[in-house]
């Protein structure tokens, strides 16, 4: 998970990690090494509430009075207060059912809860694989309801970055090339993933990758500005949204979270 990966990079056990940037924002509140993100892969976070339309949920406001399944350690729940506040939803009216991640989709498919929090490309695809009709699923993406959060980002150990800046730049060029290739040839990318999985379904993973590309990676902002960077004003607003469910001892600035000095020029970050 992201907190463990951030701790390893901070300790120097790992040079790089792919983590949820919102977990990094919370981590930077502590007295810890100044770990920063140097590349954002998910321009939009994958946080979502996945609901059954047959349970009366079509839009976010329908969640009031319903039962929401929440998996242990689910990062999306941490931005739920900000989302609810922005959309005028009374959190107290939503009953939370805490559960393990292993039973999240089974409980929703069995009708034991009305909706679940999670990542859109995981829960929604998993539920369709379990036989829940696609037209019965409402995928309520946080970013469609005013959540400013970015998603997964590459972080680097600060001491390593200071010693080996060219290695960091080279690593990011490789990430961009690999991402570009995955977007152009998703079937080939999935075959590479399946070679490292046990009993993976090609159709399922291909659907998942295509959802990630469309919803989280290849956004209008990325098409315009190139992959990997951030809008500092948007990142700053997202820190404020994190603060609605996290009491900072000292709120970090956008510059304390993201360092763009290792990124190649915009022209080299445009997705072809």
């Amino acid at each position: 998970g992201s907190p463990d990966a951030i701790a390893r990079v901070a300790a120097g056990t790992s040079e790089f990690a792919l983590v949820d940037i919102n977990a990094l924002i919370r981590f930077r509140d502590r007295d810890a090494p100044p770990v920063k993100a140097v590349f954002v892969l998910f321009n939009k976070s994958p946080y979502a509430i996945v609901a059954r339309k047959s349970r009366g949920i079509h839009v976010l406001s329908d969640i009031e009075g319903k039962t929401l399944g929440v998996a242990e350690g689910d990062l999306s729940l941490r931005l739920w207060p900000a989302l609810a506040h922005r959309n005028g939803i009374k959190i107290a009216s939503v009953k939370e059912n805490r559960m393990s991640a292993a039973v999240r989709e089974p409980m929703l498919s069995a009708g034991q809860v009305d909706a679940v929090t999670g990542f859109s490309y995981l829960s929604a695809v998993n539920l369709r694989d379990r036989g829940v009709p696609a037209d019965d699923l409402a995928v309520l993406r946080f970013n469609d309801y005013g959540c400013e959060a970015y998603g997964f980002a590459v972080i680097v150990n600060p001491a390593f970055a200071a010693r080996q800046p060219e290695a960091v730049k080279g690593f990011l060029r490789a990430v961009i090339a690999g991402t570009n290739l995955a977007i152009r040839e998703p079937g080939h990318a999935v075959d590479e993933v399946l070679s490292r999985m046990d009993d993976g379904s090609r159709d399922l993973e291909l659907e998942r990758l295509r959802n990630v590309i469309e919803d989280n990676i290849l956004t209008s902002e990325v098409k315009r500005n190139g992959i990997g960077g951030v809008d500092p004003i948007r990142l700053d607003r997202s820190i404020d949204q994190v603060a609605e469910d996290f009491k900072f001892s000292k709120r970090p600035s956008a510059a304390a979270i993201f360092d763009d000095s290792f990124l190649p020029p915009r022209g080299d970050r445009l997705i072809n």
Side-chain angles (χ1 to χ4, degrees):
S2 290
D4 289 341
I6 294 168
R8 287 198 300 271
V9 169
T13 308
S14 300
E15 283 79 28
F16 299 97
L18 185 67
V19 306
D20 187 315
I21 197 170
N22 304 291
L24 176 66
I25 290 168
R26 298 182 193 99
F27 173 84
R28 286 301 309 272
D29 183 56
R30 296 183 236 157
D31 184 16
V35 177
K36 293 185 181 182
V38 291
F39 181 91
V40 168
L41 179 63
F42 279 19
N43 182 263
K44 289 185 178 179
S45 74
Y47 303 149
I49 290 173
V50 182
R52 301 284 297 271
K53 293 179 182 177
S54 56
R55 310 283 290 195
I57 304 174
H58 297 262
V59 295
L60 191 62
S61 58
D62 293 334
I63 201 72
E64 289 191 348
K66 303 295 185 181
T67 300
L68 181 64
V70 178
E72 297 167 6
D74 184 4
L75 293 171
S76 60
L77 188 67
R78 306 294 295 273
L79 277 162
W80 168 233
L83 190 75
H85 178 259
R86 174 174 282 266
N87 289 275
I89 294 170
K90 301 180 183 69
I91 290 184
S93 72
V94 182
K95 180 183 177 182
E96 289 184 13
N97 187 331
R98 300 282 175 148
M99 61 187 68
S100 74
V103 301
R104 175 174 47 195
E105 286 84 14
M107 287 185 69
L108 182 58
S109 65
Q112 294 173 280
V113 293
D114 303 307
V116 295
T117 59
F119 289 173
S120 58
Y121 64 89
L122 291 176
S123 293
V125 175
N126 291 347
L127 284 160
R128 287 196 292 271
D129 186 54
R130 293 186 64 86
V132 178
D135 60 5
D136 189 33
L137 289 176
V139 183
L140 311 174
R141 296 174 182 85
F142 283 22
N143 286 95
D144 292 338
Y145 287 91
C147 179
E148 299 274 14
Y150 290 92
F152 288 110
V154 175
I155 62 172
V156 63
N157 174 267
F160 176 80
R163 288 195 315 269
Q164 301 277 2
E166 292 307 313
V168 177
K169 293 177 182 179
F171 182 80
L172 297 187
R173 287 196 298 271
V175 171
I176 293 167
T179 305
N180 225 332
L181 184 60
I183 291 170
R184 289 202 310 270
E185 301 181 31
H188 179 67
V190 165
D191 289 339
E192 289 289 334
V193 171
L194 289 174
S195 71
R196 295 163 175 80
M197 290 177 67
D198 293 327
D199 302 321
S201 163
R202 191 177 194 276
D203 290 343
L204 199 65
E205 296 308 323
L206 187 56
E207 181 182 3
R208 207 185 303 283
L209 176 58
R210 284 174 171 154
N211 284 355
V212 165
I213 291 169
E214 181 179 348
D215 297 336
N216 309 118
I217 296 177
L218 199 53
T219 67
S220 57
E221 189 175 306
V222 167
K223 290 175 182 176
R224 185 173 60 252
N225 299 326
I227 196 169
V230 301
D231 174 351
I233 296 174
R234 176 185 157 190
L235 179 57
D236 199 61
R237 290 197 300 262
S238 78
I239 295 170
D240 285 339
Q241 291 184 343
V242 169
E244 293 198 36
D245 188 54
F246 185 86
K247 192 170 187 129
F248 287 107
S249 56
K250 182 181 179 184
R251 178 193 179 282
S253 65
I257 300 301
F258 188 82
D259 180 359
D260 67 359
S261 66
F262 299 99
L263 290 173
R266 172 183 173 276
D268 294 339
R269 294 186 288 112
L270 293 173
I271 301 297
N272 302 319

